[in-house]
Amino acid sequence: MIGRLNHVAIAVKDIKKASELYRSKLGAEVSEQVPQPAHGVVTVFITLPNTKIELLEPLGEKSPIQAFVDRNPDGGIHHICYEVDDILVARDKLKSEGARVLGDGNPKIGAHGKPVLFLHPKDFCGTLVELEQA
Ligand code: CO
């Protein structure tokens, strides 16, 4: 059911510092910072030949990643994102098999302008999984 690995997301306290690390030390192609107030994060995308890295920094007082960054002051892998052909078909199949979809269970428009949803980490090997409609 799942397709390509769309991205691995790393949450950090200082996205400017993290961007610079990827740009200068690792020699990667790093995007500008994009504030996403609706999601409570600032994002930077790093384009690799086979996938992307999404850097996330908390934005605003109710950022959904603030607690994670507080627990992981050096930063940490926050989620991985797999592509699916049809997000509603994928959701309904997973729900019928007992997987928990976070939030109200409906896809939201993610950082790439495509529908996404998140699956409970306890149901997927301790990893927060994002599904994005390809
Ligand atoms: Co993501």
Side-chain angles (χ1 to χ4, degrees):
M1 183 176 67
I2 58 170
R4 294 177 64 243
L5 173 66
N6 185 278
H7 61 268
V8 175
I10 300 175
V12 296
K13 232 174 9 189
D14 184 342
I15 203 165
K16 192 167 172 240
K17 211 168 132 189
S19 299
E20 200 41 42
L21 178 73
Y22 269 83
R23 187 182 290 117
S24 59
K25 283 217 174 101
L26 295 176
E29 187 189 323
V30 178
S31 79
E32 290 307 304
Q33 293 174 36
V34 182
Q36 317 250 8
H39 297 281
V41 293
V42 178
T43 56
V44 160
F45 278 96
I46 298 166
T47 306
L48 305 179
N50 62 340
T51 190
K52 293 183 288 265
I53 304 296
E54 177 185 67
L55 298 177
L56 300 171
E57 182 188 270
L59 175 67
E61 280 174 18
K62 287 181 180 164
S63 174
I65 65 163
Q66 186 65 58
F68 181 91
V69 170
D70 290 344
R71 280 198 308 275
N72 300 277
D74 298 324
I77 294 180
H78 183 262
H79 65 267
I80 55 179
C81 176
Y82 300 119
E83 294 179 2
V84 292
D85 288 334
D86 185 321
I87 202 158
L88 294 177
V89 168
R91 177 196 64 185
D92 293 346
K93 179 176 186 297
L94 288 162
K95 276 177 81 171
S96 76
E97 288 162 2
R100 288 166 285 182
V101 176
L102 300 189
D104 65 6
N106 293 313
K108 291 198 168 60
I109 298 303
H112 306 113
K114 293 180 175 171
V116 302
L117 47 80
F118 286 90
L119 305 172
H120 200 295
K122 290 216 161 118
D123 298 333
F124 292 94
C125 312
T127 306
L128 178 60
V129 172
E130 179 179 21
L131 297 179
E132 180 175 298
Q133 188 157 293

